[in-house]
Amino acid sequence: MMANTGRADKKFIFGWVMYDFANSAYTTLVVTFIYATYFVSAIAPDKIMGTALWSRGVTLTAICVALLSPVLGALADQGGLRKKFLFLSTVVAVIATAWLNFVLPGQVFAALVCFVISNIAFELGMVFYNAYLPEISTPENIGRISGIGWGVGYIGGLAAMCVAMIGFVSPEVPWFGISKEAGANIRATNLLVACWFAVFAVPLFVFGKSQAPVVGIKAGQIVKNGLADLRATFHDIRNYREIVKLLIARMIYNDGLVTIFAFGGIYAAGTFGFTFQEIMIFGIGINISAGIGALIMGIFDDRLGGKTTIQISNLVLGLATLLAVVSTSKSLFWVAGILMGFFAGPNQSASRSLMGRLVPREKETQFFGFFAFSGKLTAFFGPLFLGLLTQLFDSQRAGLSVVVLFFLIGGLLLARVDEKAGMAVAKSLPS
């Protein structure tokens, strides 16, 4: 059942929020701003080929997560394994991220392998992490708590970005006597991310509650039961029509977000000539605006509803992306980036809270597995089309332009979702 956020749950909520603070260092430094840019600029043969190869890595991640997330979600619910699966995915993500430090310029295959492994583990971890949201909130405050998580997450990304810039990227002599030869100081930011992720994830594993243990059932039976439950959910999916509508819409508009996150720093460097220092400052600015946006719009989420909050963000994100495509000055690109940051957090947070309002109880992990599935099933389309258009027209602007369509089409599909009807179904159907 969805628990009240009373005094007994405050430590649990704190741990849950801190996990977002921990893992946001990965998305900020590795996926978006530093390592992605370093891969394209220093590891790959050239920027065009690097953009295309990075898009292939993001695409492979999306396909793997889409295939694994519903199955692992069902297994976690059947076996009471959510916390264990979250711990395992966190460990793998931390180790693979740390290993990126040892990949040298020119070692394209090794870089992509480490990145894909770390990214898959990170994304699967989010399935189990997000499934805690309905347990630590009520229908009245789920938007605010989700927004706090995203907001604190962006603060974590911002703090990690500042440490990376001050300690490794900007100084003449990086911390710990690390050399700048072969980009050693840039690669060392992966060690920072790994340590950051590992340390700040601890509170959730200390204070987070485990699901009731399954007694007397062997591992093979848990797998059998999980797959059977997954098949039953697919069979009964007609009972969850609003969830299906949401997941279909999210498949599209989330592609736009995935593409922006994966190629924001790459686009800034390739089209506007941003240096690593400028990309770091740009990332700090976006994280500040994103944190503020997630916190503010989390309050509006509870008042206006998740669907309305998502639609507002889809509209502004589409317009901001269009501005980034047509702008010819860094100043206008900065405006576009700040707008994207402010509304990217609410888009993700409100999507998560809306799903939390619609999921049937005792199947949270399984349904958030479907949530991850929807976010990844077609998530390769954005990076893939961006890479193809970039190669075809020899222009990153042409590649980025496809993102506008994802926000437009996703918004049109989301308009068909009836939020109140979906909440009523979640309360009435047996778990």
Side-chain angles (χ1 to χ4, degrees), residues 381-396:
F381 279 140
L384 181 61
F385 285 139
L386 183 146
L388 292 175
L389 290 174
T390 298
Q391 284 183 301
L392 181 62
F393 293 97
D394 196 26
S395 168
Q396 289 182 326

Side-chain angles (χ1 to χ4, degrees), residues 63-79:
I63 293 172
C64 291
V65 173
L67 293 174
L68 293 173
S69 54
V71 177
L72 293 179
L75 294 179
D77 282 337
Q78 281 293 319

Side-chain angles (χ1 to χ4, degrees), residues 70-79 211 221-237 240 360-367 370 430-431:
V71 177
L72 293 179
L75 294 179
D77 282 337
Q78 281 293 319
Q211 294 165 285
Q221 188 62 42
I222 291 175
V223 173
K224 184 177 179 180
N225 292 347
L227 294 178
D229 191 32
L230 188 62
R231 286 195 298 269
T233 300
F234 271 117
H235 182 266
D236 295 335
I237 201 71
Y240 310 106
R361 305 303 162 246
E362 309 305 331
K363 287 189 176 183
E364 291 97 343
T365 314
Q366 180 182 147
F367 271 80
F370 284 114
S431 61

Side-chain angles (χ1 to χ4, degrees), residues 280-294:
M280 297 283 282
I281 296 172
F282 183 64
I284 289 171
I286 287 179
N287 274 271
I288 292 174
S289 65
I292 294 172

